[in-house]
Amino acid sequence: MNLVFLGPPGSGKGTQAARLAAERHLVHLSTGDVLREAVKLGTELGKQAESFMKKGELVPDNLIIGLIEDRIKRGALREGFILDGFPRTIPQAESLKEMLEKHSIALSKAILFDVEDEEVVRRLSGRWYCPPCNAGYNYPAQMPQSDGVCDQDMTPLKRRPDDEESVVRNRLEVYKKQTEPIIGFYRQESILTKINAQQSPDAVFQSLLKEVA
Ligand code: AP5
């Protein structure tokens, strides 16, 4: 099963992708996670991506397409995968189609996580994470036992710089202008499915399981 997860920031793509990938033994490829790791390590990709990410803008298509092409060439997407946060523009969607066709790989579904803007702002202003172990928390629904520190290793929690409200609002605008057009692209390919992502994480997962049954 080869899936694309689409949706605005904070719609739960990452949360659901991690859970489904674990249950179905799929490769979970999040371009956001790859880019954040590159920024942390100070690689050439990270240096080029950082200023765009801080402002909530998209990283240029050529960098992202190159990254995915590299993964496909290395065989990372041969056994079933979830692409989380890619593609995000029409050129990315078209390149993905070409790259997969070249390797005789077909997408099974593009799943759109549908959620309202104010819910996105609420979720992302409550998101905290532990820098070394990456454990995620969300205030007030999923708080650590001790305020501000990770349950696993007691490290002080941090927020993603792009979760600051003004940046989140820009990310939502960027999503509407640059990413929403690919909904039509996948509708035309007859593989688009929409899920109500405004429910609890467990209810969203149940809806997702029905779609991939
Ligand atoms: P990326 O990391 O992909 O950010 P995003 O799409 O904005 O996704 P988020 O991680 O914020 O949200 P999500 O939908 O995964 O939700 P999550 O499960 O985390 O990209 C970051 C940046 O990298 C981009 O802005 C861009 O600069 C660059 N980039 C990445 N890919 C690119 C590309 N293809 N092209 C160009 N640039 C690219 O959940 C969010 C929070 O809500 C969590 O705290 C979670 O616990 C909570 N939550 C989840 N589900 C629920 C629920 N059902 N109810 C309540 N809370 C929930």
Side-chain angles (χ1 to χ4, degrees):
M1 186 184 313
N2 300 324
L3 303 169
V4 160
F5 279 12
L6 293 172
S11 55
K13 304 180 295 297
T15 303
Q16 299 296 335
R19 199 165 160 184
L20 186 66
E23 190 165 308
R24 296 288 168 92
H25 309 290
L26 300 171
V27 169
H28 172 196
L29 178 55
S30 155
T31 42
D33 286 349
V34 172
L35 291 169
R36 274 184 292 280
E37 186 63 14
V39 170
K40 197 160 105 185
L41 296 174
T43 65
E44 196 45 47
L45 173 66
K47 282 181 200 150
Q48 294 186 59
E50 189 172 16
S51 62
F52 295 99
M53 295 175 78
K54 267 192 187 151
K55 290 182 280 185
E57 300 291 331
L58 294 185
V59 172
D61 282 340
N62 63 323
L63 293 180
I64 297 290
I65 292 167
L67 187 161
I68 297 290
E69 195 171 22
D70 175 61
R71 294 295 199 280
I72 295 177
K73 276 189 191 149
R74 285 199 266 147
L77 303 185
R78 217 175 281 139
E79 305 288 337
F81 59 80
I82 303 174
L83 295 178
D84 161 13
F86 176 90
R88 255 168 148 111
T89 62
I90 290 283
Q92 289 183 18
E94 285 169 343
S95 297
L96 177 65
K97 188 175 173 195
E98 252 175 59
M99 291 186 284
L100 292 178
E101 276 173 4
K102 213 158 105 189
H103 290 81
S104 308
I105 301 171
L107 283 180
S108 319
K109 281 195 177 185
I111 300 184
L112 171 64
F113 290 76
D114 190 35
V115 67
E116 287 168 13
D117 287 5
E118 290 316 307
E119 174 67 9
V120 163
V121 173
R122 210 173 10 253
R123 286 182 190 177
L124 297 187
S125 32
R127 170 159 68 182
W128 291 78
Y129 75 99
C130 172
C133 81
N134 241 352
Y137 299 89
N138 203 299
Y139 282 65
Q142 197 196 345
M143 291 169 64
Q145 283 162 15
S146 233
D147 188 22
V149 292
C150 179
D151 292 346
Q152 325 281 338
D153 51 26
M154 300 303 283
T155 302
L157 301 179
K158 275 193 164 181
R159 295 189 64 205
R160 268 171 53 174
D162 61 347
D163 278 349
E164 203 258 304
E165 184 172 338
S166 61
V167 184
V168 170
R169 294 212 181 264
N170 188 42
R171 286 162 65 194
L172 282 166
E173 285 311 306
V174 167
Y175 173 77
K176 282 171 195 155
K177 279 199 202 111
Q178 294 180 258
T179 305
E180 271 188 353
I182 65 178
I183 295 172
F185 179 92
Y186 285 121
R187 192 174 283 127
Q188 271 197 338
E189 301 270 308
S190 306
I191 56 167
L192 184 81
T193 301
K194 185 157 98 174
I195 280 185
N196 173 10
Q198 193 117 351
Q199 320 167 73
S200 71
D202 283 346
V204 176
F205 191 63
Q206 291 312 314
S207 306
L208 182 56
L209 287 180
K210 280 187 202 141
E211 291 302 336
V212 299

